PDB file of all heavy atoms in Angstrom:
ATOM      1  N   GLU A 116      17.779 -70.948  45.239  1.00 98.00           N
ATOM      2  CA  GLU A 116      17.858 -72.399  45.068  1.00 98.00           C
ATOM      3  C   GLU A 116      18.589 -73.017  46.245  1.00 98.00           C
ATOM      4  O   GLU A 116      19.600 -72.484  46.718  1.00 98.00           O
ATOM      5  CB  GLU A 116      18.579 -72.747  43.753  1.00 98.00           C
ATOM      6  CG  GLU A 116      18.604 -74.245  43.472  1.00 98.00           C
ATOM      7  CD  GLU A 116      19.065 -74.572  42.052  1.00 98.00           C
ATOM      8  OE1 GLU A 116      18.366 -74.158  41.117  1.00 98.00           O
ATOM      9  OE2 GLU A 116      20.111 -75.205  41.896  1.00 98.00           O
ATOM     10  N   PHE A 117      18.057 -74.106  46.725  1.00 98.00           N
ATOM     11  CA  PHE A 117      18.671 -74.860  47.825  1.00 98.00           C
ATOM     12  C   PHE A 117      18.955 -76.271  47.332  1.00 98.00           C
ATOM     13  O   PHE A 117      18.066 -76.919  46.779  1.00 98.00           O
ATOM     14  CB  PHE A 117      17.727 -74.904  49.031  1.00 98.00           C
ATOM     15  CG  PHE A 117      18.186 -75.835  50.115  1.00 98.00           C
ATOM     16  CD1 PHE A 117      19.194 -75.456  50.992  1.00 98.00           C
ATOM     17  CD2 PHE A 117      17.602 -77.086  50.263  1.00 98.00           C
ATOM     18  CE1 PHE A 117      19.616 -76.312  51.998  1.00 98.00           C
ATOM     19  CE2 PHE A 117      18.021 -77.958  51.261  1.00 98.00           C
ATOM     20  CZ  PHE A 117      19.028 -77.566  52.138  1.00 98.00           C
ATOM     21  N   ARG A 118      20.165 -76.738  47.520  1.00 98.00           N
ATOM     22  CA  ARG A 118      20.542 -78.072  47.066  1.00 98.00           C
ATOM     23  C   ARG A 118      21.204 -78.868  48.176  1.00 98.00           C
ATOM     24  O   ARG A 118      21.919 -78.312  49.008  1.00 98.00           O
ATOM     25  CB  ARG A 118      21.524 -77.990  45.890  1.00 98.00           C
ATOM     26  CG  ARG A 118      20.899 -77.578  44.578  1.00 98.00           C
ATOM     27  CD  ARG A 118      21.849 -77.848  43.431  1.00 98.00           C
ATOM     28  NE  ARG A 118      21.292 -77.435  42.156  1.00 98.00           N
ATOM     29  CZ  ARG A 118      21.806 -77.778  40.976  1.00 98.00           C
ATOM     30  NH1 ARG A 118      22.899 -78.528  40.941  1.00 98.00           N
ATOM     31  NH2 ARG A 118      21.249 -77.378  39.856  1.00 98.00           N
ATOM     32  N   VAL A 119      21.009 -80.172  48.142  1.00 98.00           N
ATOM     33  CA  VAL A 119      21.722 -81.086  49.018  1.00 98.00           C
ATOM     34  C   VAL A 119      22.179 -82.263  48.151  1.00 98.00           C
ATOM     35  O   VAL A 119      21.442 -82.713  47.266  1.00 98.00           O
ATOM     36  CB  VAL A 119      20.825 -81.562  50.194  1.00 98.00           C
ATOM     37  CG1 VAL A 119      19.555 -82.219  49.681  1.00 98.00           C
ATOM     38  CG2 VAL A 119      21.590 -82.508  51.104  1.00 98.00           C
ATOM     39  N   THR A 120      23.404 -82.704  48.359  1.00 98.00           N
ATOM     40  CA  THR A 120      23.957 -83.789  47.552  1.00 98.00           C
ATOM     41  C   THR A 120      24.540 -84.862  48.452  1.00 98.00           C
ATOM     42  O   THR A 120      24.885 -84.618  49.618  1.00 98.00           O
ATOM     43  CB  THR A 120      25.072 -83.281  46.609  1.00 98.00           C
ATOM     44  OG1 THR A 120      26.152 -82.770  47.410  1.00 98.00           O
ATOM     45  CG2 THR A 120      24.550 -82.175  45.702  1.00 98.00           C
ATOM     46  N   GLY A 121      24.639 -86.058  47.896  1.00 97.00           N
ATOM     47  CA  GLY A 121      25.212 -87.179  48.636  1.00 97.00           C
ATOM     48  C   GLY A 121      26.043 -88.068  47.737  1.00 97.00           C
ATOM     49  O   GLY A 121      25.770 -88.176  46.534  1.00 97.00           O
ATOM     50  N   ASP A 122      27.051 -88.694  48.319  1.00 96.00           N
ATOM     51  CA  ASP A 122      27.942 -89.598  47.582  1.00 96.00           C
ATOM     52  C   ASP A 122      28.182 -90.820  48.457  1.00 96.00           C
ATOM     53  O   ASP A 122      28.841 -90.735  49.497  1.00 96.00           O
ATOM     54  CB  ASP A 122      29.261 -88.879  47.261  1.00 96.00           C
ATOM     55  CG  ASP A 122      30.148 -89.690  46.332  1.00 96.00           C
ATOM     56  OD1 ASP A 122      29.914 -90.909  46.201  1.00 96.00           O
ATOM     57  OD2 ASP A 122      31.069 -89.106  45.735  1.00 96.00           O
ATOM     58  N   HIS A 123      27.601 -91.956  48.050  1.00 93.00           N
ATOM     59  CA  HIS A 123      27.683 -93.176  48.839  1.00 93.00           C
ATOM     60  C   HIS A 123      28.261 -94.300  47.975  1.00 93.00           C
ATOM     61  O   HIS A 123      27.539 -95.191  47.532  1.00 93.00           O
ATOM     62  CB  HIS A 123      26.305 -93.566  49.381  1.00 93.00           C
ATOM     63  CG  HIS A 123      25.573 -92.431  50.029  1.00 93.00           C
ATOM     64  ND1 HIS A 123      25.837 -92.005  51.309  1.00 93.00           N
ATOM     65  CD2 HIS A 123      24.593 -91.612  49.562  1.00 93.00           C
ATOM     66  CE1 HIS A 123      25.039 -90.991  51.622  1.00 93.00           C
ATOM     67  NE2 HIS A 123      24.281 -90.733  50.565  1.00 93.00           N
ATOM     68  N   ASP A 124      29.541 -94.209  47.709  1.00 91.00           N
ATOM     69  CA  ASP A 124      30.240 -95.216  46.914  1.00 91.00           C
ATOM     70  C   ASP A 124      29.606 -95.334  45.534  1.00 91.00           C
ATOM     71  O   ASP A 124      29.841 -94.492  44.670  1.00 91.00           O
ATOM     72  CB  ASP A 124      30.249 -96.558  47.649  1.00 91.00           C
ATOM     73  CG  ASP A 124      31.192 -97.565  47.007  1.00 91.00           C
ATOM     74  OD1 ASP A 124      32.100 -97.116  46.269  1.00 91.00           O
ATOM     75  OD2 ASP A 124      31.022 -98.774  47.222  1.00 91.00           O
ATOM     76  N   ARG A 125      28.746 -96.317  45.310  1.00 95.00           N
ATOM     77  CA  ARG A 125      28.172 -96.529  43.979  1.00 95.00           C
ATOM     78  C   ARG A 125      26.949 -95.649  43.709  1.00 95.00           C
ATOM     79  O   ARG A 125      26.452 -95.603  42.584  1.00 95.00           O
ATOM     80  CB  ARG A 125      27.766 -97.995  43.806  1.00 95.00           C
ATOM     81  CG  ARG A 125      28.957 -98.935  43.659  1.00 95.00           C
ATOM     82  CD  ARG A 125      28.490-100.357  43.390  1.00 95.00           C
ATOM     83  NE  ARG A 125      29.612-101.242  43.100  1.00 95.00           N
ATOM     84  CZ  ARG A 125      30.105-101.444  41.884  1.00 95.00           C
ATOM     85  NH1 ARG A 125      29.566-100.820  40.851  1.00 95.00           N
ATOM     86  NH2 ARG A 125      31.124-102.249  41.697  1.00 95.00           N
ATOM     87  N   PHE A 126      26.440 -94.965  44.717  1.00 97.00           N
ATOM     88  CA  PHE A 126      25.224 -94.170  44.539  1.00 97.00           C
ATOM     89  C   PHE A 126      25.508 -92.702  44.834  1.00 97.00           C
ATOM     90  O   PHE A 126      25.984 -92.351  45.912  1.00 97.00           O
ATOM     91  CB  PHE A 126      24.125 -94.691  45.473  1.00 97.00           C
ATOM     92  CG  PHE A 126      22.831 -93.940  45.345  1.00 97.00           C
ATOM     93  CD1 PHE A 126      22.181 -93.841  44.122  1.00 97.00           C
ATOM     94  CD2 PHE A 126      22.255 -93.337  46.454  1.00 97.00           C
ATOM     95  CE1 PHE A 126      20.981 -93.159  44.005  1.00 97.00           C
ATOM     96  CE2 PHE A 126      21.047 -92.651  46.348  1.00 97.00           C
ATOM     97  CZ  PHE A 126      20.413 -92.565  45.117  1.00 97.00           C
ATOM     98  N   LYS A 127      25.211 -91.851  43.849  1.00 97.00           N
ATOM     99  CA  LYS A 127      25.376 -90.402  44.003  1.00 97.00           C
ATOM    100  C   LYS A 127      24.030 -89.738  43.709  1.00 97.00           C
ATOM    101  O   LYS A 127      23.322 -90.145  42.789  1.00 97.00           O
ATOM    102  CB  LYS A 127      26.445 -89.865  43.046  1.00 97.00           C
ATOM    103  CG  LYS A 127      27.824 -90.468  43.242  1.00 97.00           C
ATOM    104  CD  LYS A 127      28.811 -89.940  42.211  1.00 97.00           C
ATOM    105  CE  LYS A 127      30.200 -90.501  42.424  1.00 97.00           C
ATOM    106  NZ  LYS A 127      30.229 -91.981  42.287  1.00 97.00           N
ATOM    107  N   TRP A 128      23.685 -88.729  44.490  1.00 98.00           N
ATOM    108  CA  TRP A 128      22.376 -88.112  44.326  1.00 98.00           C
ATOM    109  C   TRP A 128      22.427 -86.629  44.637  1.00 98.00           C
ATOM    110  O   TRP A 128      23.344 -86.136  45.303  1.00 98.00           O
ATOM    111  CB  TRP A 128      21.343 -88.803  45.219  1.00 98.00           C
ATOM    112  CG  TRP A 128      21.688 -88.761  46.692  1.00 98.00           C
ATOM    113  CD1 TRP A 128      22.455 -89.655  47.372  1.00 98.00           C
ATOM    114  CD2 TRP A 128      21.308 -87.753  47.632  1.00 98.00           C
ATOM    115  NE1 TRP A 128      22.570 -89.279  48.686  1.00 98.00           N
ATOM    116  CE2 TRP A 128      21.871 -88.118  48.880  1.00 98.00           C
ATOM    117  CE3 TRP A 128      20.541 -86.599  47.547  1.00 98.00           C
ATOM    118  CZ2 TRP A 128      21.690 -87.345  50.022  1.00 98.00           C
ATOM    119  CZ3 TRP A 128      20.350 -85.828  48.690  1.00 98.00           C
ATOM    120  CH2 TRP A 128      20.914 -86.213  49.903  1.00 98.00           C
ATOM    121  N   THR A 129      21.416 -85.925  44.129  1.00 98.00           N
ATOM    122  CA  THR A 129      21.228 -84.519  44.448  1.00 98.00           C
ATOM    123  C   THR A 129      19.734 -84.226  44.462  1.00 98.00           C
ATOM    124  O   THR A 129      18.958 -84.851  43.729  1.00 98.00           O
ATOM    125  CB  THR A 129      21.944 -83.608  43.430  1.00 98.00           C
ATOM    126  OG1 THR A 129      21.812 -82.246  43.819  1.00 98.00           O
ATOM    127  CG2 THR A 129      21.358 -83.776  42.036  1.00 98.00           C
ATOM    128  N   ALA A 130      19.326 -83.303  45.321  1.00 98.00           N
ATOM    129  CA  ALA A 130      17.923 -82.905  45.410  1.00 98.00           C
ATOM    130  C   ALA A 130      17.874 -81.430  45.767  1.00 98.00           C
ATOM    131  O   ALA A 130      18.840 -80.877  46.312  1.00 98.00           O
ATOM    132  CB  ALA A 130      17.178 -83.740  46.449  1.00 98.00           C
ATOM    133  N   GLY A 131      16.750 -80.788  45.466  1.00 98.00           N
ATOM    134  CA  GLY A 131      16.707 -79.370  45.770  1.00 98.00           C
ATOM    135  C   GLY A 131      15.355 -78.737  45.546  1.00 98.00           C
ATOM    136  O   GLY A 131      14.405 -79.364  45.059  1.00 98.00           O
ATOM    137  N   LEU A 132      15.298 -77.453  45.917  1.00 98.00           N
ATOM    138  CA  LEU A 132      14.119 -76.618  45.747  1.00 98.00           C
ATOM    139  C   LEU A 132      14.525 -75.340  45.025  1.00 98.00           C
ATOM    140  O   LEU A 132      15.637 -74.837  45.226  1.00 98.00           O
ATOM    141  CB  LEU A 132      13.505 -76.259  47.098  1.00 98.00           C
ATOM    142  CG  LEU A 132      13.055 -77.420  47.982  1.00 98.00           C
ATOM    143  CD1 LEU A 132      12.679 -76.912  49.366  1.00 98.00           C
ATOM    144  CD2 LEU A 132      11.885 -78.163  47.351  1.00 98.00           C
ATOM    145  N   TYR A 133      13.618 -74.812  44.204  1.00 98.00           N
ATOM    146  CA  TYR A 133      13.905 -73.606  43.425  1.00 98.00           C
ATOM    147  C   TYR A 133      12.701 -72.673  43.499  1.00 98.00           C
ATOM    148  O   TYR A 133      11.544 -73.122  43.479  1.00 98.00           O
ATOM    149  CB  TYR A 133      14.192 -73.967  41.964  1.00 98.00           C
ATOM    150  CG  TYR A 133      14.388 -72.772  41.061  1.00 98.00           C
ATOM    151  CD1 TYR A 133      15.593 -72.074  41.038  1.00 98.00           C
ATOM    152  CD2 TYR A 133      13.361 -72.346  40.219  1.00 98.00           C
ATOM    153  CE1 TYR A 133      15.761 -70.977  40.210  1.00 98.00           C
ATOM    154  CE2 TYR A 133      13.527 -71.252  39.385  1.00 98.00           C
ATOM    155  CZ  TYR A 133      14.729 -70.566  39.385  1.00 98.00           C
ATOM    156  OH  TYR A 133      14.896 -69.487  38.576  1.00 98.00           O
ATOM    157  N   TYR A 134      12.973 -71.359  43.556  1.00 98.00           N
ATOM    158  CA  TYR A 134      11.902 -70.369  43.576  1.00 98.00           C
ATOM    159  C   TYR A 134      12.319 -69.177  42.725  1.00 98.00           C
ATOM    160  O   TYR A 134      13.472 -68.743  42.751  1.00 98.00           O
ATOM    161  CB  TYR A 134      11.611 -69.894  44.998  1.00 98.00           C
ATOM    162  CG  TYR A 134      10.595 -68.775  45.050  1.00 98.00           C
ATOM    163  CD1 TYR A 134       9.247 -69.019  44.797  1.00 98.00           C
ATOM    164  CD2 TYR A 134      10.984 -67.468  45.319  1.00 98.00           C
ATOM    165  CE1 TYR A 134       8.309 -67.988  44.816  1.00 98.00           C
ATOM    166  CE2 TYR A 134      10.059 -66.427  45.351  1.00 98.00           C
ATOM    167  CZ  TYR A 134       8.725 -66.700  45.095  1.00 98.00           C
ATOM    168  OH  TYR A 134       7.815 -65.676  45.105  1.00 98.00           O
ATOM    169  N   PHE A 135      11.344 -68.634  41.969  1.00 98.00           N
ATOM    170  CA  PHE A 135      11.596 -67.479  41.106  1.00 98.00           C
ATOM    171  C   PHE A 135      10.388 -66.555  41.153  1.00 98.00           C
ATOM    172  O   PHE A 135       9.239 -67.004  41.090  1.00 98.00           O
ATOM    173  CB  PHE A 135      11.846 -67.938  39.669  1.00 98.00           C
ATOM    174  CG  PHE A 135      11.991 -66.816  38.676  1.00 98.00           C
ATOM    175  CD1 PHE A 135      13.203 -66.161  38.510  1.00 98.00           C
ATOM    176  CD2 PHE A 135      10.907 -66.413  37.904  1.00 98.00           C
ATOM    177  CE1 PHE A 135      13.332 -65.128  37.595  1.00 98.00           C
ATOM    178  CE2 PHE A 135      11.028 -65.385  36.984  1.00 98.00           C
ATOM    179  CZ  PHE A 135      12.249 -64.737  36.836  1.00 98.00           C
ATOM    180  N   ASN A 136      10.638 -65.258  41.260  1.00 98.00           N
ATOM    181  CA  ASN A 136       9.580 -64.254  41.273  1.00 98.00           C
ATOM    182  C   ASN A 136      10.001 -63.079  40.402  1.00 98.00           C
ATOM    183  O   ASN A 136      11.136 -62.609  40.489  1.00 98.00           O
ATOM    184  CB  ASN A 136       9.305 -63.778  42.703  1.00 98.00           C
ATOM    185  CG  ASN A 136       8.376 -62.583  42.737  1.00 98.00           C
ATOM    186  OD1 ASN A 136       8.818 -61.435  42.718  1.00 98.00           O
ATOM    187  ND2 ASN A 136       7.080 -62.838  42.775  1.00 98.00           N
ATOM    188  N   GLU A 137       9.091 -62.609  39.544  1.00 97.00           N
ATOM    189  CA  GLU A 137       9.410 -61.470  38.684  1.00 97.00           C
ATOM    190  C   GLU A 137       8.197 -60.554  38.562  1.00 97.00           C
ATOM    191  O   GLU A 137       7.065 -61.010  38.381  1.00 97.00           O
ATOM    192  CB  GLU A 137       9.830 -61.934  37.289  1.00 97.00           C
ATOM    193  CG  GLU A 137      10.205 -60.779  36.363  1.00 97.00           C
ATOM    194  CD  GLU A 137      10.585 -61.240  34.966  1.00 97.00           C
ATOM    195  OE1 GLU A 137       9.968 -62.207  34.470  1.00 97.00           O
ATOM    196  OE2 GLU A 137      11.490 -60.632  34.372  1.00 97.00           O
ATOM    197  N   ASP A 138       8.458 -59.251  38.662  1.00 95.00           N
ATOM    198  CA  ASP A 138       7.475 -58.213  38.347  1.00 95.00           C
ATOM    199  C   ASP A 138       7.972 -57.466  37.124  1.00 95.00           C
ATOM    200  O   ASP A 138       9.123 -57.004  37.097  1.00 95.00           O
ATOM    201  CB  ASP A 138       7.313 -57.234  39.511  1.00 95.00           C
ATOM    202  CG  ASP A 138       6.579 -57.866  40.680  1.00 95.00           C
ATOM    203  OD1 ASP A 138       5.887 -58.870  40.468  1.00 95.00           O
ATOM    204  OD2 ASP A 138       6.709 -57.358  41.807  1.00 95.00           O
ATOM    205  N   GLU A 139       7.107 -57.345  36.122  1.00 93.00           N
ATOM    206  CA  GLU A 139       7.544 -56.747  34.856  1.00 93.00           C
ATOM    207  C   GLU A 139       6.467 -55.798  34.327  1.00 93.00           C
ATOM    208  O   GLU A 139       5.270 -56.105  34.380  1.00 93.00           O
ATOM    209  CB  GLU A 139       7.815 -57.846  33.836  1.00 93.00           C
ATOM    210  CG  GLU A 139       8.376 -57.355  32.513  1.00 93.00           C
ATOM    211  CD  GLU A 139       8.727 -58.504  31.590  1.00 93.00           C
ATOM    212  OE1 GLU A 139       8.332 -59.644  31.879  1.00 93.00           O
ATOM    213  OE2 GLU A 139       9.388 -58.250  30.568  1.00 93.00           O
ATOM    214  N   PHE A 140       6.900 -54.653  33.835  1.00 91.00           N
ATOM    215  CA  PHE A 140       6.010 -53.719  33.157  1.00 91.00           C
ATOM    216  C   PHE A 140       6.509 -53.523  31.739  1.00 91.00           C
ATOM    217  O   PHE A 140       7.696 -53.279  31.515  1.00 91.00           O
ATOM    218  CB  PHE A 140       5.967 -52.368  33.878  1.00 91.00           C
ATOM    219  CG  PHE A 140       5.153 -51.342  33.130  1.00 91.00           C
ATOM    220  CD1 PHE A 140       3.768 -51.367  33.183  1.00 91.00           C
ATOM    221  CD2 PHE A 140       5.777 -50.364  32.351  1.00 91.00           C
ATOM    222  CE1 PHE A 140       3.009 -50.429  32.479  1.00 91.00           C
ATOM    223  CE2 PHE A 140       5.026 -49.428  31.649  1.00 91.00           C
ATOM    224  CZ  PHE A 140       3.641 -49.460  31.721  1.00 91.00           C
ATOM    225  N   VAL A 141       5.599 -53.634  30.787  1.00 87.00           N
ATOM    226  CA  VAL A 141       5.946 -53.482  29.374  1.00 87.00           C
ATOM    227  C   VAL A 141       4.980 -52.498  28.732  1.00 87.00           C
ATOM    228  O   VAL A 141       3.763 -52.596  28.901  1.00 87.00           O
ATOM    229  CB  VAL A 141       5.881 -54.837  28.635  1.00 87.00           C
ATOM    230  CG1 VAL A 141       6.257 -54.650  27.176  1.00 87.00           C
ATOM    231  CG2 VAL A 141       6.797 -55.851  29.285  1.00 87.00           C
ATOM    232  N   GLU A 142       5.540 -51.544  27.994  1.00 85.00           N
ATOM    233  CA  GLU A 142       4.729 -50.559  27.273  1.00 85.00           C
ATOM    234  C   GLU A 142       5.240 -50.461  25.838  1.00 85.00           C
ATOM    235  O   GLU A 142       6.437 -50.316  25.599  1.00 85.00           O
ATOM    236  CB  GLU A 142       4.817 -49.191  27.951  1.00 85.00           C
ATOM    237  CG  GLU A 142       4.064 -48.106  27.210  1.00 85.00           C
ATOM    238  CD  GLU A 142       4.367 -46.723  27.749  1.00 85.00           C
ATOM    239  OE1 GLU A 142       5.277 -46.595  28.595  1.00 85.00           O
ATOM    240  OE2 GLU A 142       3.708 -45.764  27.311  1.00 85.00           O
ATOM    241  N   ASN A 143       4.331 -50.567  24.904  1.00 83.00           N
ATOM    242  CA  ASN A 143       4.682 -50.508  23.483  1.00 83.00           C
ATOM    243  C   ASN A 143       3.761 -49.485  22.816  1.00 83.00           C
ATOM    244  O   ASN A 143       2.557 -49.708  22.720  1.00 83.00           O
ATOM    245  CB  ASN A 143       4.512 -51.897  22.853  1.00 83.00           C
ATOM    246  CG  ASN A 143       5.091 -51.971  21.459  1.00 83.00           C
ATOM    247  OD1 ASN A 143       5.097 -50.991  20.729  1.00 83.00           O
ATOM    248  ND2 ASN A 143       5.563 -53.139  21.081  1.00 83.00           N
ATOM    249  N   ARG A 144       4.334 -48.362  22.353  1.00 84.00           N
ATOM    250  CA  ARG A 144       3.558 -47.315  21.691  1.00 84.00           C
ATOM    251  C   ARG A 144       4.002 -47.209  20.234  1.00 84.00           C
ATOM    252  O   ARG A 144       5.174 -46.984  19.965  1.00 84.00           O
ATOM    253  CB  ARG A 144       3.750 -45.975  22.387  1.00 84.00           C
ATOM    254  CG  ARG A 144       3.195 -45.891  23.805  1.00 84.00           C
ATOM    255  CD  ARG A 144       3.470 -44.520  24.369  1.00 84.00           C
ATOM    256  NE  ARG A 144       2.989 -44.371  25.734  1.00 84.00           N
ATOM    257  CZ  ARG A 144       1.958 -43.600  26.078  1.00 84.00           C
ATOM    258  NH1 ARG A 144       1.305 -42.921  25.154  1.00 84.00           N
ATOM    259  NH2 ARG A 144       1.589 -43.497  27.334  1.00 84.00           N
ATOM    260  N   ALA A 145       3.051 -47.343  19.326  1.00 84.00           N
ATOM    261  CA  ALA A 145       3.324 -47.183  17.900  1.00 84.00           C
ATOM    262  C   ALA A 145       2.666 -45.892  17.431  1.00 84.00           C
ATOM    263  O   ALA A 145       1.440 -45.826  17.273  1.00 84.00           O
ATOM    264  CB  ALA A 145       2.805 -48.373  17.112  1.00 84.00           C
ATOM    265  N   VAL A 146       3.478 -44.857  17.252  1.00 86.00           N
ATOM    266  CA  VAL A 146       2.974 -43.572  16.757  1.00 86.00           C
ATOM    267  C   VAL A 146       2.830 -43.691  15.243  1.00 86.00           C
ATOM    268  O   VAL A 146       3.800 -43.985  14.538  1.00 86.00           O
ATOM    269  CB  VAL A 146       3.928 -42.434  17.149  1.00 86.00           C
ATOM    270  CG1 VAL A 146       3.460 -41.124  16.543  1.00 86.00           C
ATOM    271  CG2 VAL A 146       4.020 -42.325  18.668  1.00 86.00           C
ATOM    272  N   LEU A 147       1.624 -43.446  14.758  1.00 86.00           N
ATOM    273  CA  LEU A 147       1.338 -43.658  13.334  1.00 86.00           C
ATOM    274  C   LEU A 147       1.077 -42.329  12.625  1.00 86.00           C
ATOM    275  O   LEU A 147       0.792 -41.313  13.243  1.00 86.00           O
ATOM    276  CB  LEU A 147       0.119 -44.565  13.168  1.00 86.00           C
ATOM    277  CG  LEU A 147       0.194 -45.949  13.785  1.00 86.00           C
ATOM    278  CD1 LEU A 147      -1.108 -46.700  13.528  1.00 86.00           C
ATOM    279  CD2 LEU A 147       1.372 -46.726  13.220  1.00 86.00           C
ATOM    280  N   ASN A 148       1.144 -42.379  11.311  1.00 85.00           N
ATOM    281  CA  ASN A 148       0.715 -41.274  10.471  1.00 85.00           C
ATOM    282  C   ASN A 148      -0.716 -41.582  10.039  1.00 85.00           C
ATOM    283  O   ASN A 148      -1.001 -42.672   9.534  1.00 85.00           O
ATOM    284  CB  ASN A 148       1.624 -41.140   9.251  1.00 85.00           C
ATOM    285  CG  ASN A 148       1.449 -39.816   8.551  1.00 85.00           C
ATOM    286  OD1 ASN A 148       0.330 -39.416   8.238  1.00 85.00           O
ATOM    287  ND2 ASN A 148       2.565 -39.137   8.298  1.00 85.00           N
ATOM    288  N   SER A 149      -1.617 -40.630  10.232  1.00 83.00           N
ATOM    289  CA  SER A 149      -3.026 -40.905   9.940  1.00 83.00           C
ATOM    290  C   SER A 149      -3.277 -41.147   8.456  1.00 83.00           C
ATOM    291  O   SER A 149      -4.353 -41.623   8.075  1.00 83.00           O
ATOM    292  CB  SER A 149      -3.915 -39.767  10.446  1.00 83.00           C
ATOM    293  OG  SER A 149      -3.570 -38.546   9.816  1.00 83.00           O
ATOM    294  N   VAL A 150      -2.279 -40.858   7.598  1.00 82.00           N
ATOM    295  CA  VAL A 150      -2.445 -41.156   6.181  1.00 82.00           C
ATOM    296  C   VAL A 150      -2.615 -42.661   5.971  1.00 82.00           C
ATOM    297  O   VAL A 150      -3.201 -43.105   4.974  1.00 82.00           O
ATOM    298  CB  VAL A 150      -1.239 -40.610   5.378  1.00 82.00           C
ATOM    299  CG1 VAL A 150       0.010 -41.450   5.643  1.00 82.00           C
ATOM    300  CG2 VAL A 150      -1.549 -40.577   3.882  1.00 82.00           C
ATOM    301  N   LEU A 151      -2.116 -43.468   6.923  1.00 78.00           N
ATOM    302  CA  LEU A 151      -2.234 -44.926   6.807  1.00 78.00           C
ATOM    303  C   LEU A 151      -3.680 -45.394   6.886  1.00 78.00           C
ATOM    304  O   LEU A 151      -4.013 -46.487   6.422  1.00 78.00           O
ATOM    305  CB  LEU A 151      -1.412 -45.605   7.904  1.00 78.00           C
ATOM    306  CG  LEU A 151       0.114 -45.408   7.838  1.00 78.00           C
ATOM    307  CD1 LEU A 151       0.781 -45.992   9.060  1.00 78.00           C
ATOM    308  CD2 LEU A 151       0.677 -46.040   6.571  1.00 78.00           C
ATOM    309  N   VAL A 152      -4.547 -44.561   7.496  1.00 78.00           N
ATOM    310  CA  VAL A 152      -5.960 -44.934   7.605  1.00 78.00           C
ATOM    311  C   VAL A 152      -6.843 -43.966   6.829  1.00 78.00           C
ATOM    312  O   VAL A 152      -8.021 -43.785   7.138  1.00 78.00           O
ATOM    313  CB  VAL A 152      -6.385 -44.992   9.092  1.00 78.00           C
ATOM    314  CG1 VAL A 152      -5.714 -46.146   9.799  1.00 78.00           C
ATOM    315  CG2 VAL A 152      -6.078 -43.676   9.797  1.00 78.00           C
ATOM    316  N   GLY A 153      -6.227 -43.321   5.816  1.00 81.00           N
ATOM    317  CA  GLY A 153      -6.995 -42.449   4.939  1.00 81.00           C
ATOM    318  C   GLY A 153      -7.167 -41.034   5.430  1.00 81.00           C
ATOM    319  O   GLY A 153      -7.978 -40.277   4.875  1.00 81.00           O
ATOM    320  N   GLY A 154      -6.383 -40.627   6.448  1.00 80.00           N
ATOM    321  CA  GLY A 154      -6.490 -39.285   6.980  1.00 80.00           C
ATOM    322  C   GLY A 154      -5.435 -38.368   6.405  1.00 80.00           C
ATOM    323  O   GLY A 154      -4.793 -38.653   5.387  1.00 80.00           O
ATOM    324  N   ALA A 155      -5.256 -37.220   7.080  1.00 82.00           N
ATOM    325  CA  ALA A 155      -4.249 -36.252   6.656  1.00 82.00           C
ATOM    326  C   ALA A 155      -2.852 -36.767   6.968  1.00 82.00           C
ATOM    327  O   ALA A 155      -2.663 -37.682   7.768  1.00 82.00           O
ATOM    328  CB  ALA A 155      -4.503 -34.907   7.360  1.00 82.00           C
TER     329      ALA A 155
END
């Protein structure tokens, strides 16, 4: 993030730029019992 601010007596201001980058890996394994689907 980059910011610049100013203070001019009755007027105060701020402005800026923001950048975000993310790489994510997600794995979800549900090991089941086959009895749930009518198996052994």
Side-chain angles (χ1 to χ4, degrees):
E116 184 169 297
F117 171 78
R118 286 194 181 193
V119 57
T120 63
D122 188 343
H123 312 280
D124 191 21
R125 288 184 174 271
F126 181 57
K127 300 177 178 62
W128 59 273
T129 184
L132 301 171
Y133 175 79
Y134 175 72
F135 175 83
N136 171 269
E137 181 182 36
D138 288 340
E139 184 175 12
F140 175 78
V141 180
E142 177 190 8
N143 190 329
R144 294 179 181 250
V146 176
L147 301 180
N148 195 309
S149 60
V150 72
L151 295 173
V152 292

